[in-house]
Amino acid sequence: MTDKRDPATILSSARPDADPALGGLTPPLWASDTFRWPSAEDKPAYDYGRTVNPNRDMLVDVLAELEGAAGGALTASGQAAALLALLLVPASAHVVAPHDCYGGTYRLIRGLEDQGRLSATFVDMTDLDAVAAALARETALVWIETPSNPLMRITDIAAVAALAKPAGALVIADNTLPTPLRQTPLALGCDLVLHSTTKAINGHSDLFGGALLAKDAALVEQLHWWANAAGLNAGARDAWETLRGARTLALRIDRQEANASAIARWLAARPEVEIVHYPGLADHPHHALAARQQGGPGFMLSFRVKGSAARFLDALALITLASSLGGHSSLICTPATMTHRGMPPEAQAEAGIAPDLLRLSVGIEAADDLIADLARGLAAI
Ligand SMILES: *Cc1c(COP(=O)(O)O)cnc(C)c1O
C-alpha cells in the first residue's frame, strides 16, 4: 500500500483517468445493464450491472481508502447495507446492538428477531459491563453506532471490539454520523463499517445509498456474493452522483462542524434551554473519549427547551422540520415521533429519548443566520 493520503485529496482527485476515450476530468456514467463478452469463454471484468459496475467500484475504492478497508459493497440505501450485514449472521444466532441505535436498524433487527431469524440483545454500549454480560452468550455480531443518534453518546469502539473479538463475534460500526473524515472504526478493531451515503457522503439530499466495507478481503468476498445474490447493489447513476457529491465532503464537514460547535455553545448559554447534547461541549459525559476517538465533534446535536417544543418548531423560518441528516441545509426533528418512530415508547424511554427532544443536523448556512433562527424559536416557547 502507498502512504496514507489526505481525505480531501482522495475525494477531490478520484479517478481522473476513468475516461480514456475522451479524457474527461470526471468519470463517465456506465448506465448499461449488461456488457459485451469478447467470446463465450472470456468473462469480461464487467458483465452484468447487478453484479458489477464501474461507477460503484470507483466509489467503493474511494470509501475503502478513506476507511482503510479491503473493499466492500455499495447498496441501494443504508438499510440495504444493514440487511447485507445481517445476511452474514447464521440462522438464530445472537446479535448485540445498542439500545439507542438508529430507529431503522432497531426495526430491522427486531423484525428479523420476530421471525425467529436471529436473537438480539439491546444494551447500553457506553456501559462496558453490560456489553460483557451480553457477550456471555455466544454472539455472531456486535453492532456499534457512535456517536449515537439522537443523544450523541460515545461508545468506546476499541474497548467494545476488544470484548467482542475473543468472544468470536464480528464487529460492525455504523459510521454515518462521523463520516470517515472524523472516525475510522476499522483502525479501532471493527471488521465492518457501514454508511448511509444518503447522508453526509452524498450531502445533497437527493438520493439514497449505502455502503458496507470490510477490513479483510475474505469478508469482502462474502459481501459481494450476498449483495449480488440478494440484489442489494446500488444503481450506477446513484453511485456516480454520490461520488460527485462526495468530492466536497471535506469542505462541507469542516463548515457543518464549525457551525454546530458555535450553535451548541450558544444554546448551552441560553436560559430557555434545558440541556444540549454535543460531544464538543466540555460538560458532555463522554467529551474526553470523543476527543480521543473522533477527529472532531461533528455536525449533529440534540437539545431540549424549557417550554413548548411545538411552538419552538413553529417559529423557525430557516431550519426545516424534516427527518434526515448530514445534508447541505439544516434540518430539525423530534426523534420520538419522526426518526425513531420504529422504536416503541418503552424502548424510547429506556434509550433516553424524551418526547420533546429536538435533534438538529447542521448544514452549511451562515452560523449567524442559523443562530438567529434558533433565537426566533426560543422567543416563541
Ligand atoms: C439514515 C441512517 C441509516 C439508514 O440509511 P438510509 O439510507 O435512510 O436507508 C442508518 N444509520 C444511520 C445512522 C442513519 O442516519
Side-chain angles (χ1 to χ4, degrees):
M1 279 305 283
T2 48
D3 291 340
K4 213 164 184 264
R5 299 195 296 155
D6 188 278
T9 305
I10 295 170
L11 288 158
S12 148
S13 66
R15 300 303 303 271
D17 62 324
D19 178 12
L22 298 177
L25 205 63
T26 61
L29 164 61
W30 282 278
S32 187
D33 66 340
T34 194
F35 294 79
R36 194 184 304 123
W37 289 49
S39 80
E41 306 305 321
D42 282 326
K43 191 168 107 56
Y46 294 99
D47 56 349
Y48 189 59
R50 190 196 63 233
T51 318
V52 272
N53 170 272
N55 293 104
R56 279 203 302 271
D57 281 355
M58 270 179 233
L59 182 56
V60 165
D61 286 350
V62 166
L63 297 177
E65 184 173 357
L66 293 173
E67 289 284 10
L74 215 66
T75 55
S77 67
Q79 285 311 105
L83 177 61
L84 179 57
L86 291 164
L87 287 174
L88 301 176
V89 174
S92 67
H94 183 224
V95 173
V96 176
H99 69 161
D100 53 357
C101 61
Y102 176 72
T105 306
Y106 182 88
R107 176 166 46 214
L108 178 59
I109 293 176
R110 273 276 187 247
L112 292 170
E113 184 176 41
D114 286 348
Q115 289 190 322
R117 292 171 193 273
L118 53 80
S119 83
T121 304
F122 291 92
V123 296
D124 177 356
M125 287 257 165
T126 65
D127 176 355
L128 292 174
D129 292 335
V131 176
L135 286 168
R137 275 179 67 191
E138 193 183 336
T139 302
L141 183 70
V142 175
W143 196 288
I144 296 172
E145 185 185 329
T146 180
S148 75
N149 163 14
L151 288 164
M152 304 297 127
R153 295 187 181 119
I154 310 296
T155 293
D156 188 333
I157 298 174
V160 171
L163 289 173
K165 291 277 90 183
L170 282 177
V171 184
I172 182 171
D174 182 336
N175 208 30
T176 302
L177 259 59
T179 83
L181 273 59
R182 292 292 184 267
Q183 183 167 279
T184 47
L186 300 183
L188 299 171
C190 293
D191 303 287
L192 294 157
V193 61
L194 179 147
H195 285 283
S196 166
T197 56
T198 310
K199 311 293 169 54
I201 288 177
N202 178 56
H204 291 69
S205 304
D206 54 6
L207 57 76
F208 280 88
L212 186 61
L213 307 161
K215 191 173 176 138
D216 295 327
L219 206 46
V220 173
E221 286 290 304
Q222 286 189 52
L223 298 181
H224 287 166
W225 193 91
W226 277 110
N228 177 52
L232 298 174
N233 282 323
R237 177 173 295 276
D238 288 339
W240 179 80
E241 268 193 62
T242 302
L243 179 58
R244 184 184 195 274
R247 300 269 186 205
T248 55
L249 180 63
L251 279 174
R252 287 186 280 108
I253 295 297
D254 286 351
R255 169 74 170 222
Q256 288 172 250
E257 186 174 69
N259 281 353
S261 297
I263 287 169
R265 279 195 305 273
W266 182 83
L267 283 172
R270 294 288 304 219
E272 306 95 323
V273 174
E274 177 78 37
I275 187 164
V276 182
H277 305 282
Y278 185 63
L281 294 176
D283 66 353
H284 185 281
H286 312 129
H287 176 69
L289 173 58
R292 174 154 55 82
Q293 181 166 274
Q294 299 175 203
F299 54 78
M300 296 280 297
L301 56 104
S302 59
F303 61 101
R304 288 171 75 187
V305 296
K306 296 176 185 163
S308 163
R311 279 206 290 274
F312 177 86
L313 291 170
D314 269 350
L316 299 177
L318 175 62
I319 301 168
T320 305
L321 180 66
S323 67
S324 192
L325 60 93
H328 53 87
S329 66
S330 295
L331 305 180
I332 196 162
C333 76
T334 53
T337 62
M338 296 172 70
T339 52
H340 287 63
R341 240 197 150 89
M343 205 180 249
E346 322 79 73
Q348 285 190 10
E350 203 197 310
I353 302 169
D356 65 346
L357 183 73
L358 296 164
R359 185 192 81 179
L360 184 61
S361 172
V362 181
I364 60 172
E365 303 93 334
D368 287 351
D369 291 338
L370 292 171
I371 286 173
D373 203 36
L374 294 167
R376 257 191 298 277
L378 290 181
I381 64 170

